[in-house]
């Protein structure tokens, strides 16, 4: 039986429906040419620590093999069954990964058990109250001194990409109005609600984050020592990259927060 309430249930179904096309439709923060502080932090850990980690919203499990190498126990959590099916396939032979079909808003089964929690582009619930609930749940899962490492999609990263595209169109001699229309089309503004930082695509509704929101929401949920840094994405995901040589690529936001 599926015990998720109606909106999360719709979202779980929408995420399941996109699983097969995931790599084609979503920007990949793990590419070798991305600059990803979360990966750097994980790779710097010693192998086979006697510690427990959870990958919260693990998707198809790109991080699970690395986590399985670094930690004694890995909990892989996602509410989309199809994502979990792919993740299980990826982890055949990894005996220390446990899979959980669950929502991040209801993590009672992990309370008090984790040394580290990781959430990569999964704290994106369209209702910000669910994000707050999920953060409180994650805090309760962590042991004292435990850490949450996360990545969230950046709303300001989309504004930055739009700025570059407007300037590109102006350089090509377009009038301002046409340049803005061109940038809006190329940066797929039709899927965004900029006022409330939402992205709607193929039935999935995602909250995008502003940098000021990260310390605000983490502190409200009880995290301390909150740090924020850019994940510089690969230019390979963006069109006309050859015209932006020397410019910083668009980004996601990395953050870390600690539980006392
Ligand atoms: C953008 S994907 C990222 C997947 C993976 N972390 C990665 O880096 O490839 C977001 C994932 O979070 C999951 N997710 C979103 N909201 C969730 C929720 N409330 N509870 C559990 N999983 C959730 C989705 O099903 C999806 O697999």
């Amino acid at each position: 039986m599926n015990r998720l309430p109606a909106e999360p249930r719709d979202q779980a179904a929408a995420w399941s429906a996109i699983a097969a096309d995931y790599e084609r439709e979503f920007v990949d923060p793990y590419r070798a040419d991305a600059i990803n502080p979360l990966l750097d932090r994980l790779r710097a850990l010693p192998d086979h620590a006697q510690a427990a980690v959870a990958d919260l919203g693990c998707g198809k499990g790109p991080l699970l093999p690395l986590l399985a190498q670094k930690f004694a126990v890995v909990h892989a959590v996602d509410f989309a069954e199809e994502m979990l099916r792919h993740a299980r396939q990826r982890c055949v032979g990894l005996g220390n990964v446990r899979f959980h079909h669950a929502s991040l808003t209801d993590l009672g089964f992990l309370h008090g058990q984790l040394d580290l929690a990781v959430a990569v582009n999964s704290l994106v619930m369209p209702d910000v109250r669910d994000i707050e609930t999920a953060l409180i749940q994650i805090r309760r899962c962590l042991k004292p001194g435990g850490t949450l490492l996360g990545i969230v999609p950046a709303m300001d990263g989309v504004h930055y990409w739009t700025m570059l595209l407007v300037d590109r169109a102006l350089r090509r001699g377009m009038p301002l109005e046409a340049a803005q229309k061109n940038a809006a089309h190329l940066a797929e503004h039709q899927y965004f609600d900029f006022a409330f930082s939402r992205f709607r695509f193929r039935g999935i509704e995602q909250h995008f984050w502003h940098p000021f929101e990260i310390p605000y929401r983490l502190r409200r949920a009880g995290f301390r020592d909150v740090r924020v840094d850019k994940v510089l994405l690969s230019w390979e995901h963006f069109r006309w990259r050859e015209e932006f040589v020397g410019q910083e690529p668009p980004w996601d936001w990395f953050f870390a927060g600690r539980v006392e």
Side-chain angles (χ1 to χ4, degrees), residues 4 8 11-12 15-16 22 26 29-30 55-63 77-80 83 102-105 119-125 130 134 206:
L4 293 171
Q11 286 304 296
W15 281 108
S16 271
Y22 183 81
F26 285 81
Y30 309 112
D55 186 352
L56 300 169
C58 64
K60 294 167 84 169
L63 264 189
V77 181
D78 207 290
F79 70 173
M83 292 285 188
S103 172
L104 305 189
T105 53
V120 178
N121 288 328
S122 53
L123 289 165
V124 291
M125 300 79 173
D130 289 338
Q206 286 180 272

Side-chain angles (χ1 to χ4, degrees), residues 242-260:
E242 59 286 353
E243 297 188 35
F244 302 112
V245 173
Q247 301 294 345
E248 191 171 68
W251 55 84
D252 283 342
W253 284 110
F254 161 78
F255 61 81
R258 206 175 50 79
V259 170
E260 282 178 343

Side-chain angles (χ1 to χ4, degrees), residues 27 29 35 121 151-161 163-164 208-211 214 228-234 238 247-254:
V27 170
I35 296 181
N121 288 328
I151 293 178
V152 286
M155 192 74 264
D156 54 321
V158 178
H159 288 298
Y160 170 75
W161 177 224
M163 176 194 78
L164 292 182
F208 272 47
W209 290 61
H210 284 286
I214 298 170
V228 177
D229 202 354
K230 278 179 181 166
V231 179
L232 292 175
L233 299 168
S234 166
F238 300 90
Q247 301 294 345
E248 191 171 68
W251 55 84
D252 283 342
W253 284 110
F254 161 78

